[in-house]
């Protein structure tokens, strides 16, 4: 009788009696993952079909939350999409590189034209027209950038503002972050006391930040500058150049830019920068607001400082510009 009670108790406590499946050895089987419901699978496949990585990741995150028992199948679908995406990006990168290698001299140029008005203070206090052109050619390792700018004002037969700038700057990548640069620049502003000022420079640059929405590059190197004054004098000096370029895309339509160049001249010796005879500082802060894909509005504020200006000229000029920019 006791044997029958023990046998009945064992049967009631066994996994089979509790409704749990048994293996051949009599051990309970691990629960199988739940299959992904067909409507949910269709939603994931529709997102993948768009090729939009952000959309796919959003859908996958939501589905994972609502279907935790199907995590393995969801992960498998995501892994397949990521593999396909990597192949597409690799193919696109290879196609871009092939196009760059086979490009001619006049290929791969892009740029922007800018036109508007300015308000100046300092050596002159007036309002006039401003225009600039900036073109860039991107290669695999090389980049060429040319810039031209004109600020002009004339009223009642009298010119009160006439400033010209032309610049050419090539650079070549040394590594993922470092690059070598060269610079040739000429400018003219007789209201600041010089009819021409030319400079050449070369040195090293570093890409401190390189993200989709924010970029920061700094550069430093020696320079040589020749200044022709309106009174007939001429000066040639060794100098040092420090530059910074900062771009921050605040939103899809709003971008903040900050460009800085500082040149410190020595008395003729390249090793005594600290005893600078003349320091030139250009600060240019701007805010770009996109109107369309190719058109944007810009407000910028520039400060131009000369620590040792020509006789009769003041040290600091400011320019406020309101312009329209066309990208091509």
């Amino acid at each position: 009788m006791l044997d029958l009670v023990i046998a009945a108790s064992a049967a009631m406590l066994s996994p089979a009696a509790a409704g749990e499946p048994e293996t051949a050895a009599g051990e309970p089987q691990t629960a199988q993952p739940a299959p992904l419901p067909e409507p949910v699978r269709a939603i994931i496949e529709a997102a993948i079909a768009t090729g939009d990585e952000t959309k796919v990741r959003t859908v996958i995150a939501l589905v994972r939350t609502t279907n935790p028992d199907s995590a393995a199948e969801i992960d498998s679908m995501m892994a397949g999409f990521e593999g396909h995406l990597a192949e597409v990006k690799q193919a696109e990168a290879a196609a871009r590189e092939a196009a760059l290698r086979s490009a001619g001299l006049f290929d791969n140029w892009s740029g922007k034209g800018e036109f508007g008005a300015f308000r100046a203070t300092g050596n002159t206090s007036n309002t006039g027209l401003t225009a600039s052109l900036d073109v860039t050619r991107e290669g695999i390792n090389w980049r060429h950038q040319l810039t031209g700018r004109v600020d002009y004002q004339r009223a009642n037969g009298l010119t009160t503002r006439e400033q010209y700038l032309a610049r050419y700057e090539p650079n070549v990548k040394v590594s993922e972050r470092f690059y070598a640069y060269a610079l040739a620049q000429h400018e003219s502003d007789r209201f600041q006391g010089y009819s021409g000022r030319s400079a050449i420079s070369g040195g090293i640059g570093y890409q401190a930040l390189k993200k989709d929405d924010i970029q920061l590059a700094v550069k430093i190197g020696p320079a040589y500058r020749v200044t022709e004054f309106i009174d007939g004098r001429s000066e040639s000096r060794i100098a040092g150049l420090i530059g910074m370029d900062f771009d921050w895309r605040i939103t899809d339509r709003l971008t903040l830019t900050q460009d800085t160049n500082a040149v410190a001249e020595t008395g003729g010796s390249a090793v005594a920068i600290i005893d600078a005879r003349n320091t030139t500082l250009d600060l240019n802060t701007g805010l770009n607001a996109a109107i369309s894909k190719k058109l944007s509005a810009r407000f910028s504020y520039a400060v131009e400082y000369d620590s040792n200006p020509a006789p009769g000229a003041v040290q600091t000029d400011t320019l406020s510009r309101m312009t329209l920019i066309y990208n091509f």
Side-chain angles (χ1 to χ4, degrees), residues 58-296:
T58 301
V59 170
I60 289 291
L62 292 172
V63 169
R64 227 186 235 118
T65 302
T66 56
N67 298 266
D69 294 338
S70 305
E73 190 173 355
I74 295 170
D75 290 343
S76 176
M77 295 181 74
M78 186 63 192
F81 172 72
E82 288 177 335
H84 173 70
L85 192 64
E87 291 176 358
V88 170
K89 289 182 177 180
Q90 186 175 3
E92 289 176 348
R96 283 196 300 268
E97 182 173 339
L100 289 173
R101 291 189 184 281
S102 61
L105 179 62
F106 299 103
D107 296 328
N108 295 328
W109 287 94
S110 62
K112 60 184 179 181
E114 186 175 355
F115 183 79
F118 72 84
R119 169 66 180 169
T121 66
N123 285 288
T124 60
S125 181
N126 50 40
T127 302
L129 298 177
T130 182
S132 71
L133 181 66
D134 193 321
V135 293
T136 302
R137 185 180 191 271
E138 295 279 356
I140 297 174
N141 294 315
W142 281 88
R143 183 182 70 179
H144 301 269
Q145 185 172 17
L146 294 95
T147 302
R149 177 178 291 279
V150 177
D151 294 316
Y152 186 81
Q153 199 276 338
R154 184 177 177 83
N156 299 323
L158 182 65
T159 300
T160 56
R161 182 77 183 181
E162 191 175 11
Q163 184 179 37
Y164 304 98
L165 170 70
R167 179 190 297 129
Y168 170 54
E169 182 175 353
N171 66 50
V172 60
K173 291 180 182 178
V174 178
S175 67
E176 185 64 25
R177 294 278 187 175
F178 284 94
Y179 62 92
Y181 81 90
L183 174 69
Q185 175 177 300
H186 179 78
E187 56 185 326
S188 174
D189 189 342
R190 60 191 180 92
F191 293 98
Q192 287 190 357
Y194 58 89
S195 58
R197 184 160 64 187
S198 302
I200 55 172
S201 176
I204 195 75
Y206 178 68
Q207 189 80 41
L209 292 173
K210 191 176 183 181
K211 299 181 179 180
D212 290 341
D213 60 343
I214 186 168
Q215 297 192 24
L216 172 64
V218 293
K219 62 187 176 186
I220 186 170
Y224 180 73
R225 184 160 68 176
V226 178
T227 304
E228 301 286 343
F229 295 97
I230 58 175
D231 60 7
R233 292 180 300 116
S234 177
E235 289 184 352
S236 301
R237 296 191 179 279
I238 302 289
L241 183 143
I242 301 173
M244 180 189 78
D245 295 326
F246 174 74
D247 295 312
W248 176 26
R249 193 179 66 197
I250 303 171
T251 68
D252 288 342
R253 290 185 172 273
L254 199 62
T255 303
L256 176 70
T257 66
Q258 172 66 61
D259 301 324
T260 304
N261 283 293
V263 179
E265 292 184 353
T266 70
S269 172
V271 297
I273 301 293
I274 192 171
D275 296 326
R277 182 181 182 278
N278 185 31
T279 297
T280 300
L281 181 63
D282 294 330
L283 300 171
N284 196 333
T285 303
L287 194 63
N288 292 10
I291 299 173
S292 65
K293 187 176 180 179
K294 290 187 174 293
L295 191 65
S296 61

